Structure formats: C-alpha cells, structure tokens
Amino acid sequence: MWRPVPEMAISVENTPVPLALLISGRGSNLRAVAQAIDDGRVNGIIRVVVSNRADAAGLEWARAQAIETLVLPHQDSPSRGAYDEVLVQALKSRGVRLVCLAGFMRVLGPAFCEAFPQAVLNVHPSLLPSFPGADAQAQALAHGVRVSGVTVHFVTPELDAGPIIQQSAVLVRDDDTCETLSARILVEEHRVYPEAIQRIIAGGWHVDGRRVVTTPVSET
Ligand code: GAR
C-alpha cells in the first residue's frame, strides 16, 4: 500500500517554488493559479504546463504567456508505468518541486507519487469522498445531494482518495442543471486551489494518518 513519507521542505528561503500544472482541457484552474502567482498570493513559478491532449485549450493560453508547454499523449505509451516515468523525467529535469493537477484526466501511478512525495495536488469538483472520478457534478445532481463543493487533496495512486488539504461547500439549488452547479463550483475551485497550494508551499503542516493538520509552532 502506498504511504506518504514525512513532510519535505518545498519552499527554500522564500524562493518561488517551481510548479508544474497538468491539464487536459480548458485550463481555467491553471489561469487561476497563474493569476494568484501574479497577485503575490502563491509563492510559486510555473515551470511547465503539461497536457496529455494536444487540443487542450489551456495549452494555447500558456503559450501566449510564454510558459513552457509539453504535450505527452498517453496513447503513445506502452503502459501507465512507462508514461509516468517519462512524465517524472520531464518534470525533474525542469526542477519542478510541486505538481498541481488542474483538470488532468488521467490517473498517476505509484512510481509517479513516490517521485514527488506529498508534492502532487489535485482539485476535484465535489466534496470527497463523495463522487470521485469523472463527472462529479453530474453524479452529485443525480444523487440528489443538497450540498456539494470542491476538494483539494494530495494525489495517491488511489483515485481521488488522498489526504484532504482544503474543502469548500456549494449549495445545490432545486433548479440547478449540471452547467449551473458546475459553474458555481468552479468559482470556488478558483478561490480554493491557489489557497491550498500556498498552504502547502508555506509549510507548517504535516499529515497525520489521513489528516493534513497544522504543525504546532513548538515542533517546527
Ligand atoms: C475542473 O472542474 C476540475 O475540478 C475537474 O476538471 C475541471 C477542469 O477545468 N477535475 C476533475 O474532475 C478531476 N477529477 P479547467 O480545465 O477549466 O481547470
């Protein structure tokens, strides 16, 4: 079973932390993180944007910002392990310290998670552990929950199951469609993801079992 290792210092003396953003589509969370960096809310620098799809709209935006982009189509890899290995090499060779999945619709395996211990984050459009996987907003509507939301969590090889860093609730309305609920959740994603990324960068936390908790000052 995959187990997290003790916290490693991600940020060194306030130097911006090299980030990789992994996308598969639109890239609105990518843009929210980039905006938060520009505003000084996230002490990071985007070293590379990686997509497993050449047609991801977020790639075009990144190129326009002169951010390096990389397309790694997963169909080209003989296995999940081989794909993960190529991805790890690509990120390590660029000095990436923190990997942020932003709509990256592909499961990363144990080798990838071990290469970046407690340094792979994901944003998911539901209150996990409810509604993991694809179409979380549609799953929530179909189930009839009155509250859904957003979760930022550490990535482990088990889908959408890693320790939770931050969550925010969004009320479901009677007249919600998948589109209207998704839109309100997305607003929260754009607020919460940069906050969670900065929390991890800033340190002063540790993982206790499944819980991401603040480390008492006396122990830092
Ligand atoms: C976001 O809603 C994100 O939470 C979701 O994909 C969307 C990507 O949008 N991710 C997942 O469902 C992962 N399981 P974006 O490309 O505009 O950031």
Side-chain angles (χ1 to χ4, degrees):
M1 191 182 124
W2 184 86
R3 284 178 202 287
V5 302
E7 180 192 356
M8 300 193 356
I10 290 177
S11 177
V12 182
E13 290 188 351
N14 230 22
T15 313
V17 171
L19 309 176
L21 272 285
L22 273 53
I23 65 171
S24 297
R26 182 175 53 182
S28 72
N29 278 289
L30 158 67
R31 293 199 299 278
V33 172
Q35 184 66 55
I37 290 172
D38 284 353
D39 296 349
R41 288 179 284 127
V42 168
N43 185 22
I45 175 167
I46 301 177
R47 275 284 155 77
V48 64
V49 172
V50 181
S51 174
N52 60 328
R53 298 180 53 121
D55 61 353
L59 284 173
E60 227 167 281
W61 179 85
R63 288 185 196 116
Q65 314 304 307
I67 298 171
E68 188 189 0
T69 59
L70 200 58
V71 177
L72 293 178
H74 53 267
Q75 299 89 338
D76 294 358
S77 281
S79 66
R80 188 178 298 283
Y83 185 87
D84 287 0
E85 208 172 294
V86 170
L87 189 53
V88 167
Q89 282 313 315
L91 302 186
K92 292 278 182 192
S93 68
R94 288 166 174 81
V96 167
R97 298 295 305 275
L98 187 63
V99 182
C100 303
L101 311 193
F104 187 65
M105 295 305 191
R106 195 180 154 76
V107 175
L108 297 167
F112 188 91
C113 297
E114 277 158 24
F116 292 95
Q118 291 186 359
V120 188
L121 312 186
N122 182 41
V123 62
H124 183 78
S126 76
L127 292 176
L128 291 171
S130 291
F131 314 124
D135 304 320
Q137 305 94 328
Q139 291 185 56
L141 269 186
H143 196 89
V145 293
R146 304 306 309 186
V147 182
S148 192
V150 52
T151 302
V152 179
H153 63 94
F154 283 114
V155 172
T156 62
E158 202 186 333
L159 180 67
D160 295 332
I164 290 168
I165 299 162
Q166 205 155 323
Q167 290 187 303
S168 177
V170 172
L171 296 182
V172 179
R173 297 177 185 156
D174 284 350
D175 60 353
D176 260 330
T177 61
C178 193
E179 287 67 35
T180 58
L181 179 61
S182 300
R184 290 204 309 289
I185 291 175
L186 196 63
V187 170
E188 280 305 281
E189 293 186 43
H190 295 165
R191 185 182 69 79
V192 166
Y193 203 17
E195 273 184 21
I197 291 170
Q198 180 54 26
R199 181 180 178 205
I200 296 310
I201 286 175
W205 53 270
H206 63 276
V207 180
D208 179 8
R210 283 199 45 84
R211 303 180 67 210
V212 181
V213 293
T214 301
T215 306
V217 177
S218 58
E219 292 174 27
T220 54

Tab-separated table of all heavy atoms in Angstrom, residues 25-29 102-103 105 122-125 133 137 160 186 189, ligand 1:
chain	number	residue	atom	x	y	z
A	25	GLY	N	-7.653	20.025	-20.572
A	25	GLY	CA	-8.696	20.751	-21.304
A	25	GLY	C	-8.576	22.255	-21.185
A	25	GLY	O	-7.514	22.844	-21.392
A	26	ARG	N	-9.683	22.843	-20.762
A	26	ARG	CA	-9.896	24.294	-20.748
A	26	ARG	C	-8.798	25.096	-20.046
A	26	ARG	O	-8.377	26.147	-20.504
A	26	ARG	CB	-11.242	24.484	-20.041
A	26	ARG	CG	-11.785	25.832	-19.900
A	26	ARG	CD	-13.158	25.710	-19.282
A	26	ARG	NE	-13.157	24.934	-18.034
A	26	ARG	CZ	-14.236	24.653	-17.320
A	26	ARG	NH1	-15.417	25.075	-17.731
A	26	ARG	NH2	-14.146	23.959	-16.205
A	27	GLY	N	-8.381	24.641	-18.864
A	27	GLY	CA	-7.293	25.314	-18.166
A	27	GLY	C	-7.697	26.511	-17.333
A	27	GLY	O	-6.875	27.384	-17.049
A	28	SER	N	-8.957	26.559	-16.870
A	28	SER	CA	-9.347	27.725	-16.068
A	28	SER	C	-8.682	27.700	-14.692
A	28	SER	O	-8.343	28.756	-14.144
A	28	SER	CB	-10.871	27.816	-15.937
A	28	SER	OG	-11.386	26.827	-15.088
A	29	ASN	N	-8.473	26.521	-14.118
A	29	ASN	CA	-7.745	26.463	-12.840
A	29	ASN	C	-6.273	26.843	-13.025
A	29	ASN	O	-5.681	27.478	-12.146
A	29	ASN	CB	-7.875	25.072	-12.208
A	29	ASN	CG	-9.174	24.924	-11.450
A	29	ASN	OD1	-9.364	25.520	-10.387
A	29	ASN	ND2	-10.116	24.167	-12.009
A	102	ALA	N	-4.712	20.063	-12.674
A	102	ALA	CA	-5.781	21.054	-12.872
A	102	ALA	C	-6.653	20.583	-14.028
A	102	ALA	O	-6.512	21.028	-15.160
A	102	ALA	CB	-5.167	22.430	-13.147
A	103	GLY	N	-7.518	19.618	-13.708
A	103	GLY	CA	-8.340	19.025	-14.765
A	103	GLY	C	-7.566	18.017	-15.585
A	103	GLY	O	-7.889	17.791	-16.755
A	105	MET	N	-7.066	14.567	-16.630
A	105	MET	CA	-7.969	13.417	-16.558
A	105	MET	C	-7.220	12.115	-16.804
A	105	MET	O	-7.501	11.384	-17.768
A	105	MET	CB	-9.111	13.592	-17.568
A	105	MET	CG	-10.001	14.764	-17.233
A	105	MET	SD	-10.642	14.642	-15.550
A	105	MET	CE	-11.866	15.930	-15.542
A	122	ASN	N	-4.349	17.814	-6.283
A	122	ASN	CA	-5.427	17.783	-7.278
A	122	ASN	C	-6.611	18.602	-6.770
A	122	ASN	O	-6.868	18.658	-5.566
A	122	ASN	CB	-5.882	16.339	-7.520
A	122	ASN	CG	-6.963	16.244	-8.585
A	122	ASN	OD1	-6.895	16.930	-9.606
A	122	ASN	ND2	-7.960	15.405	-8.351
A	123	VAL	N	-7.316	19.217	-7.713
A	123	VAL	CA	-8.575	19.890	-7.373
A	123	VAL	C	-9.695	19.060	-7.990
A	123	VAL	O	-9.622	18.668	-9.157
A	123	VAL	CB	-8.585	21.362	-7.867
A	123	VAL	CG1	-8.461	21.470	-9.383
A	123	VAL	CG2	-9.839	22.072	-7.385
A	124	HIS	N	-10.721	18.789	-7.169
A	124	HIS	CA	-11.808	17.919	-7.619
A	124	HIS	C	-13.156	18.600	-7.322
A	124	HIS	O	-13.371	19.107	-6.220
A	124	HIS	CB	-11.727	16.566	-6.905
A	124	HIS	CG	-12.781	15.606	-7.371
A	124	HIS	ND1	-12.670	14.913	-8.566
A	124	HIS	CD2	-13.974	15.249	-6.840
A	124	HIS	CE1	-13.752	14.162	-8.730
A	124	HIS	NE2	-14.566	14.341	-7.699
A	125	PRO	N	-14.104	18.540	-8.297
A	125	PRO	CA	-15.358	19.295	-8.133
A	125	PRO	C	-16.453	18.565	-7.361
A	125	PRO	O	-17.593	18.459	-7.828
A	125	PRO	CB	-15.773	19.558	-9.584
A	125	PRO	CG	-15.245	18.378	-10.336
A	125	PRO	CD	-13.980	17.960	-9.640
A	133	GLY	N	-13.898	10.514	-9.320
A	133	GLY	CA	-13.868	10.165	-10.742
A	133	GLY	C	-14.463	11.242	-11.626
A	133	GLY	O	-14.605	12.399	-11.220
A	137	GLN	N	-19.923	16.555	-10.792
A	137	GLN	CA	-21.079	17.438	-10.592
A	137	GLN	C	-22.376	16.728	-11.006
A	137	GLN	O	-23.399	16.843	-10.330
A	137	GLN	CB	-20.904	18.731	-11.398
A	137	GLN	CG	-19.609	19.483	-11.111
A	137	GLN	CD	-18.490	19.128	-12.089
A	137	GLN	OE1	-18.410	18.001	-12.569
A	137	GLN	NE2	-17.627	20.082	-12.360
A	160	ASP	N	-8.673	9.917	-6.450
A	160	ASP	CA	-9.355	10.952	-5.658
A	160	ASP	C	-9.495	10.569	-4.178
A	160	ASP	O	-10.509	10.897	-3.537
A	160	ASP	CB	-10.749	11.249	-6.256
A	160	ASP	CG	-10.651	11.856	-7.650
A	160	ASP	OD1	-9.650	12.523	-7.944
A	160	ASP	OD2	-11.579	11.647	-8.451
A	186	LEU	N	-17.005	25.878	-9.875
A	186	LEU	CA	-15.765	26.346	-10.498
A	186	LEU	C	-15.267	27.654	-9.868
A	186	LEU	O	-14.069	27.844	-9.686
A	186	LEU	CB	-15.975	26.526	-12.011
A	186	LEU	CG	-14.698	26.628	-12.850
A	186	LEU	CD1	-13.853	25.366	-12.785
A	186	LEU	CD2	-15.046	26.960	-14.300
A	189	GLU	N	-13.520	26.583	-6.920
A	189	GLU	CA	-12.239	25.955	-7.275
A	189	GLU	C	-11.165	27.019	-7.464
A	189	GLU	O	-10.044	26.889	-6.967
A	189	GLU	CB	-12.379	25.152	-8.579
A	189	GLU	CG	-13.266	23.945	-8.468
A	189	GLU	CD	-13.259	23.112	-9.748
A	189	GLU	OE1	-12.182	22.893	-10.334
A	189	GLU	OE2	-14.345	22.674	-10.176
B	1	GAR	C1	-12.416	21.281	-13.051
B	1	GAR	O1	-13.756	21.386	-12.688
B	1	GAR	C2	-11.701	20.274	-12.174
B	1	GAR	O2	-12.137	20.287	-10.845
B	1	GAR	C3	-12.086	18.984	-12.854
B	1	GAR	O3	-11.966	19.266	-14.226
B	1	GAR	C4	-12.269	20.637	-14.433
B	1	GAR	C5	-11.150	21.241	-15.215
B	1	GAR	O4	-11.459	22.560	-15.563
B	1	GAR	N1	-11.245	17.915	-12.449
B	1	GAR	C6	-11.701	16.696	-12.227
B	1	GAR	O5	-12.849	16.365	-12.397
B	1	GAR	C7	-10.658	15.711	-11.743
B	1	GAR	N2	-11.272	14.520	-11.282
B	1	GAR	P1	-10.327	23.558	-16.023
B	1	GAR	O6	-9.572	22.856	-17.160
B	1	GAR	O7	-11.078	24.739	-16.528
B	1	GAR	O8	-9.437	23.865	-14.865
